[in-house]
Amino acid sequence: MALCGACTVHVNGAPARSCSTPLSGAVGKRITTIEGIGQTKEASLAVRVVENDVPQCGYCQSARS
Ligand code: FES
């Protein structure tokens, strides 16, 4: 349903939700995933996600007390 944004990738530099993007919409375009951001300033986000065991979307996570 493309509600959480956890699957966001860049398609030709623009954000797109990969779970709702048809493959035909990606053919021939430059796709960048969170793993592909390398040493850019955005890489710190990927590091923090891994360090904190962030769930993909949190839909099934229980609330914190
Ligand atoms: S918006 Fe794609 S997995 Fe949530």
Side-chain angles (χ1 to χ4, degrees):
M1 295 181 67
L3 296 176
C4 70
C7 67
T8 299
V9 297
H10 285 176
V11 178
N12 284 348
R17 294 186 174 184
S18 62
C19 69
S20 62
T21 301
L23 184 58
S24 61
V27 173
K29 296 180 179 169
R30 184 172 43 88
I31 310 298
T32 305
T33 66
I34 194 169
E35 292 84 2
I37 58 177
Q39 299 302 312
T40 63
K41 66 177 183 179
E42 292 84 4
S44 62
L45 172 62
V47 170
R48 297 293 185 266
V49 166
V50 172
E51 286 177 349
N52 292 290
D53 292 327
V54 175
Q56 179 174 339
C57 71
Y59 182 79
C60 63
Q61 298 294 304
S62 57
R64 289 185 171 186
S65 58

